[in-house]
């Protein structure tokens, strides 16, 4: 579908992508984490997209198996949610994933 | 208003009250915390109440100054959100707040 292609393009074109909801504390946490390590993620606030928001959330579920936000991609790869991203950060693996990329 | 009276009655009649949204991870965290310490909170899922949910959230904001969920009350007193409750727990103050109450 066109929406599926648009999501695939977004995660391919941006080193770090977060599908988010602006009022969600877990999404705030993961955005703050990337900011703390000096990385500017490409953030898509699903609650700012009217009817498209739930549609994109469904596409993400089809593509990643994950129906929740935040939905995080690094270097085009699906990383997971807030807990997954924080785990990678604590293991030092986030840094290595990011070092391989061309970060703005 | 009648809704305001209903909220006041709820927090007066129940030792631990959580105004929550069922899909919110911060709300899940605070519910799990009380479960872990063996306390059964009275949970109101605002997203299960149709049009009343946002109205109750507005009443809570008027009563407590807090517009967010989770909104936690212990012994009729407004405690705060997830972060506030976890702080009290870590300081050992949650236990003392609860010990003074008649917990089911
Ligand atoms: N363990 C997951 C939890 C994800 C989760 O439950 N997200 C909630 C919001 S905090 C959600 O997407 N709920 C359904 C929705 O908002 O559509 C994580 O760390 O990201
Ligand atoms: N620091 C607060 C954060 C509360 C917060 O931002 N809650 C969000 C959901 S995680 C909220 O209520 N957003 C507006 C809404 O859902 O109406 C806490 O620990 O509870
Ligand atoms: S909506 Fe509350 S943590 Fe995501």
């Amino acid at each position: 579908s066109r929406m599926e292609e648009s999501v695939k393009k977004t995660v391919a074109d941006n080193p770090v992508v977060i599908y988010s909801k602006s009022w969600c504390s877990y999404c705030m946490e993961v955005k703050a984490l990337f900011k703390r390590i000096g990385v500017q993620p490409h953030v898509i606030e699903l609650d700012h997209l009217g009817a498209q928001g739930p549609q994109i959330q469904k596409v993400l579920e089809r593509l990643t198996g994950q129906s929740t936000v935040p939905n995080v991609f690094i270097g085009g790869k699906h990383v997971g949610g807030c807990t997954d991203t924080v785990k990678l950060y604590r293991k030092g693996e986030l840094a290595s994933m990011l070092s391989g990329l061309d970060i703005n």
Side-chain angles (χ1 to χ4, degrees), chain A residues 53-63 67:
Chain A
Q55 293 173 2
I56 294 175
Q57 203 166 344
K58 273 279 164 246
V59 166
L60 288 166
E61 183 173 6
R62 239 182 4 253
L63 290 176
S67 60

Side-chain angles (χ1 to χ4, degrees), chain A residues 1-8 55 59 62-63:
Chain A
S1 74
R2 216 186 67 220
M3 193 163 274
E4 198 166 311
E5 291 313 307
S6 154
V7 169
K8 287 181 181 172
Q55 293 173 2
V59 166
R62 239 182 4 253
L63 290 176

Side-chain angles (χ1 to χ4, degrees), chain A residues 35-47:
Chain A
K35 180 171 182 178
R36 207 154 59 235
I37 61 181
V39 170
Q40 181 115 311
H42 180 82
V43 178
I44 296 109
E45 300 292 1
L46 295 179
D47 56 302

Side-chain angles (χ1 to χ4, degrees), chain A residues 63-81:
Chain A
L63 290 176
T64 67
Q66 180 182 319
S67 60
T68 55
V69 290
N71 205 330
V72 182
F73 294 78
I74 298 177
K77 281 206 175 66
H78 180 240
V79 163

Side-chain angles (χ1 to χ4, degrees), chain A residues 21 23-24 26 57 66-70 80-84:
Chain A
K21 289 182 187 178
W23 33 253
C24 165
Y26 262 35
Q57 203 166 344
Q66 180 182 319
S67 60
T68 55
V69 290
C82 178
T83 317
D84 303 310

